[in-house]
Amino acid sequence: MSRNLKNPKRYRGEDRLRKVRWVLGLLRPYRKRVVVMFFAVVLASATSLAPPYLAGRAIDSGILAGDEQALVMTVIAFVILTAAYAATRYLQTYLVGWIGVRVLQDLREEVFKHIQKMSIGFFTRNRPGALISRMTNDIEALNQLISDGIVTLFSNILTLFGVVAILLLLDWHLALITFCVLPLLLVTSLVFRRYSAGAFKETRERISAITSHLQETLSGVRVVRSFGQEDRHINRMTELNTLNRQANMKTVYLNATYFPATELMTAIGTGAILLYGGYQVIYGNIQVGVVVSFIGYLQLFFDPIQQLAQLYATYQQGMAALDKIFGLLDTDVEIVDAPDAVDPGQIEGALSFDAVSFSYATEDERMDSVDQSARWAVKDIDLVIPAGETVALVGSTGAGKSTLAKLVTRFYDPQRGAILIDGKPLAHYEQRPLRRQMGIVPQEGFLFSGTIAENISFGRPDAMIDEVAAAADAVGATGFIERLPEGLETQVGERGVQLSSGQRQLVAFARIILTGPRILILDEATSSVDMQTERTIEIALDRLLADRTAIVIAHRLSTIRRADRIVVLDHGEIVETGSHDELIAADAYYARLYNAWTH
Ligand SMILES: Nc1ncnc2c1ncn2[C@@H]1O[C@H](COP(=O)(O)OP(=O)(O)O)[C@@H](O)[C@H]1O
Ligand SMILES: [Mg+2]
């Protein structure tokens, strides 16, 4: 770290090298095909150079010399080489595509795997939109550069050098005159590419502004409607659309100018060749065929220059994407298993907090803060929950209840103190087997696309259908599931039946029953449930909490009363513990909260 700060330039160089190595590593599994591909590229570039030369030969040695055999031989060579060109070009394009789609797949899997490993904190800091863009646009831009870019660069440079060499060999005077047009062509293409890259970038930005406005309008449609703000959203869309049109118009002008301009350059080149070459033919210095060849090669110049100019844009986009993807791959996973972490086996479920303090801010940010204590989300938590006990956690909004829950499941690690399970700190165990024995039910049950049964068996995909049915039954979900068109096999979500939040919550409870965690956390899991489902949920809760260690965050008195003990949090600290009656009698925090709920 200190080295990067001392010598940023050197670091940047190393960084580039590391990225290039990584990119080459992506091609490694396909190296045999990469080699064949490069052979095909060389052969295709070489054979593409033949036709203008052979056309010239056919005219000079065949037609003008009146030599039938030479004419026929040249034409045969022409056909054979063109066929060879077609074959190698096919091979080149096929292999570029073959390698490209595989690299795309590998890239996507690598980035996706990395995202899956990230700690929960990472997902609160990165919007889903940005991660989706990494997985789609950026990966595609990079793939474009890796598969297509390298080949384009290589084959066009080969062609350019080939044409230059052949022209010099054919007639160096005429060649030098032809080369005079080249810089004009090159400059026109580069200028055009520069402006159009800017213009295209602008159109992309404008379109993404439209997309995100659309996305926000759609997901916030109920808010927009209920506040009668449709017009404002329409006006905003009109503004964004106008900007988009203006950006698009720039590309329209550029496209309209570019092709005529380059054709003009080519025409000037052709004119120069005809004029100078024509004189040379008239004075008998060169043959007509040479002039014909030159005109043919001028056309061959045009393509590589264009494509190289285009490659510049591909390169810039690809490198920008590479940087962004590396930004993601370089993000360290914050919570990793210690090398000596052990598989916990079946845990008892005794849970204790030993002077636990946690802040979402970093150490530095906390130090900078004027009011240091305000930066702790939870502070000095000491709490012992014996296996099987249910604790209700109450406190006003922002008191730190959810934070405490997230610490237990190790979505974050506390900066101070430790959380112990069966007397050993969380870090003593491997994360995954430990987490499998913990259940967390958030406020809104999340359902994946698929059937109800698949959703219930999410934590145990191998569960038998009668186990799934039994789990649904245990939480009282059978009633509503039986009324669905296909029972447990009903598709839910986007293209299936929409469930109410209470029903979704019952599915989430059944999921928990099936995995049978030793420690259970309900974070306001019952608060969004309607009155009708309430009775069912109450019964479900009894089943859920029996024989488990549980932390229940709730507002509902009936839920709180089920707990063996109530813990009151305020500004991240425990201020009271006791039974409902004790705390009411104490007439402090809990009594105030209780009054607020009941009135
Ligand atoms: N992801 C987060 N990043 C930064 N601060 C957070 C985050 N989540 C919660 N907080 C802050 O931590 C404090 C406790 O929040 P939380 O545990 O969600 O409270 P509760 O669940 O009791 O309403 C609040 O001040 C909140 O603003
Ligand atoms: Mg909360």
Side-chain angles (χ1 to χ4, degrees):
M1 195 56 191
S2 58
R3 185 197 51 187
N4 320 347
L5 293 177
K6 257 185 254 159
N7 197 343
K9 205 170 196 175
R10 162 126 182 273
Y11 177 68
R12 209 174 302 144
E14 281 172 17
D15 202 39
R16 232 335 98 86
L17 199 67
R18 190 168 65 99
K19 285 176 187 168
V20 168
R21 241 188 241 135
W22 181 75
V23 163
L24 291 180
L26 286 169
L27 291 173
R28 190 166 305 131
Y30 314 113
R31 56 183 169 273
K32 280 190 194 135
R33 292 194 191 234
V34 170
V35 171
V36 176
M37 177 183 80
F38 274 102
F39 268 114
V41 170
V42 172
L43 283 177
S45 306
T47 46
S48 76
L49 295 173
Y53 175 74
L54 290 176
R57 294 301 303 160
I59 292 171
D60 291 341
S61 320
I63 302 169
L64 293 182
D67 183 341
E68 287 177 26
Q69 205 193 351
L71 179 64
V72 171
M73 292 310 287
T74 315
V75 171
I76 288 175
F78 187 97
V79 171
I80 290 176
L81 285 173
T82 313
Y85 169 72
T88 47
R89 190 62 202 260
Y90 163 80
L91 196 62
Q92 172 193 329
T93 315
Y94 170 78
L95 286 176
V96 167
W98 193 96
I99 294 165
V101 291
R102 270 156 190 85
V103 168
L104 182 66
Q105 183 181 6
D106 296 349
L107 256 176
R108 194 166 276 154
E109 271 166 31
E110 183 161 346
V111 177
F112 188 71
K113 264 192 214 146
H114 189 77
I115 293 181
Q116 288 286 323
K117 269 193 299 196
M118 297 313 292
S119 311
I120 294 295
F122 170 84
F123 295 97
T124 55
R125 287 189 300 272
N126 291 274
R127 302 280 98 216
L131 296 177
I132 289 169
S133 167
R134 282 313 87 81
M135 287 295 294
T136 53
N137 304 339
D138 292 333
I139 282 181
E140 269 154 34
L142 180 59
N143 182 53
Q144 183 84 20
L145 178 64
I146 297 175
S147 57
D148 218 21
I150 301 175
V151 168
T152 307
L153 182 73
F154 192 61
S155 93
N156 289 304
I157 287 181
L158 274 183
T159 310
L160 272 185
F161 275 106
V163 172
V164 168
I166 291 177
L167 291 191
L168 285 172
L169 285 174
L170 275 178
D171 186 281
W172 69 269
H173 286 114
L174 197 49
L176 291 184
I177 288 187
T178 313
F179 296 158
C180 291
V181 210
L182 272 190
L184 286 177
L185 209 58
L186 203 64
V187 167
T188 317
S189 294
L190 280 179
V191 167
F192 170 78
R193 284 303 161 194
R194 250 206 75 174
Y195 281 107
S196 70
F200 278 116
K201 183 159 175 254
E202 199 182 328
T203 57
R204 275 199 309 277
E205 280 162 7
R206 299 282 175 237
I207 260 298
S208 85
I210 289 181
T211 320
S212 58
H213 179 65
L214 179 64
Q215 195 254 330
E216 228 177 64
T217 310
L218 290 180
S219 36
V221 64
R222 284 166 196 83
V223 184
V224 175
R225 190 60 53 85
S226 62
F227 284 91
Q229 292 297 320
E230 292 93 340
D231 283 343
R232 195 170 70 182
H233 276 244
I234 291 170
N235 291 340
R236 178 78 188 127
M237 182 56 102
T238 309
E239 266 170 45
L240 292 173
N241 235 346
T242 309
L243 289 172
N244 180 48
R245 189 201 67 218
Q246 286 162 349
N248 275 328
M249 271 320 284
K250 276 189 205 152
T251 70
V252 169
Y253 288 129
L254 281 165
N255 279 330
T257 340
Y258 179 63
F259 288 103
T262 46
E263 267 164 39
L264 201 62
M265 299 297 154
T266 321
I268 291 172
T270 313
I273 293 169
L274 277 178
L275 193 64
Y276 181 80
Y279 266 105
Q280 298 298 313
V281 173
I282 290 171
Y283 289 110
N285 293 334
I286 58 171
Q287 288 180 293
V288 177
V290 175
V291 178
V292 173
S293 298
F294 263 80
I295 293 176
Y297 282 117
L298 192 67
Q299 292 294 331
L300 269 189
F301 256 138
F302 185 68
D303 246 15
I305 287 183
Q306 251 230 50
Q307 289 196 20
L308 287 175
Q310 164 70 44
L311 185 63
Y312 179 68
T314 312
Y315 172 78
Q316 282 196 318
Q317 283 163 21
M319 287 317 273
L322 182 62
D323 285 343
K324 285 193 210 157
I325 290 172
F326 253 81
L328 191 61
L329 294 179
D330 276 348
T331 315
D332 290 329
V333 181
E334 291 152 67
I335 300 174
V336 285
D337 284 339
D340 54 352
V342 298
D343 187 324
Q346 171 82 17
I347 59 169
E348 273 296 309
L351 183 63
S352 60
F353 295 77
D354 183 11
V356 170
S357 295
F358 171 76
S359 165
Y360 289 98
T362 63
E363 191 82 26
D364 293 345
E365 286 167 354
R366 246 188 355 263
M367 292 305 153
D368 289 345
S369 158
V370 190
D371 180 9
Q372 285 190 23
S373 61
R375 289 286 196 152
W376 294 107
V378 293
K379 192 161 178 272
D380 297 331
I381 301 289
D382 281 307
L383 183 64
V384 178
I385 308 175
E389 196 186 84
T390 298
V391 164
L393 211 55
V394 300
S396 50
T397 308
K401 307 181 294 294
S402 299
T403 306
L404 213 53
K406 287 183 239 171
L407 291 175
V408 173
T409 44
R410 217 179 164 207
F411 286 172
Y412 300 92
D413 274 340
Q415 282 94 349
R416 298 193 191 157
I419 294 169
L420 314 175
I421 285 183
D422 296 346
K424 294 269 170 41
L426 286 179
H428 174 74
Y429 304 111
E430 287 169 10
Q431 292 178 64
R432 279 228 239 167
L434 186 63
R435 255 191 219 118
R436 280 208 199 98
Q437 299 182 63
M438 297 188 184
I440 184 162
V441 187
Q443 194 163 3
E444 283 283 321
F446 187 87
L447 298 191
F448 294 92
S449 55
T451 64
I452 302 254
E454 282 163 358
N455 266 290
I456 292 178
S457 63
F458 184 76
R460 260 188 59 202
D462 58 333
M464 295 292 162
I465 190 71
D466 40 319
E467 288 178 279
V468 173
D473 203 37
V475 297
T478 312
F480 95 83
I481 292 174
E482 273 174 354
R483 283 192 297 278
L484 294 172
E486 282 161 82
L488 276 170
E489 296 305 324
T490 308
Q491 292 283 337
V492 289
E494 240 171 272
R495 267 178 292 150
V497 175
Q498 303 291 333
L499 301 187
S500 75
S501 49
Q503 292 168 334
R504 279 206 300 275
Q505 213 56 292
L506 286 179
V507 172
F509 286 171
R511 207 183 259 165
I512 294 284
I513 291 280
L514 202 56
T515 46
R518 295 297 310 140
I519 297 177
L520 182 64
I521 291 160
L522 303 180
D523 190 351
E524 309 200 352
T526 54
S527 53
S528 65
V529 168
D530 47 288
M531 294 306 263
Q532 273 174 326
T533 340
E534 188 174 348
R535 271 298 318 145
T536 330
I537 294 265
E538 298 285 297
I539 296 164
L541 271 182
D542 279 339
R543 280 302 300 266
L544 275 177
L545 301 178
D547 312 322
R548 290 180 228 280
T549 314
I551 294 181
V552 178
I553 302 171
H555 291 147
R556 217 183 279 270
L557 186 61
S558 55
T559 316
I560 295 171
R561 283 206 133 149
R562 264 193 180 70
D564 300 307
R565 200 149 46 114
I566 299 168
V567 171
V568 186
L569 273 185
D570 188 51
H571 290 101
E573 294 183 72
I574 294 180
V575 288
E576 272 182 326
T577 39
S579 69
H580 174 78
D581 295 331
E582 284 165 12
L583 294 177
I584 290 292
D587 195 23
Y589 289 92
Y590 181 75
R592 273 203 298 281
L593 284 170
Y594 177 69
N595 276 328
W597 292 327
T598 46
H599 293 100

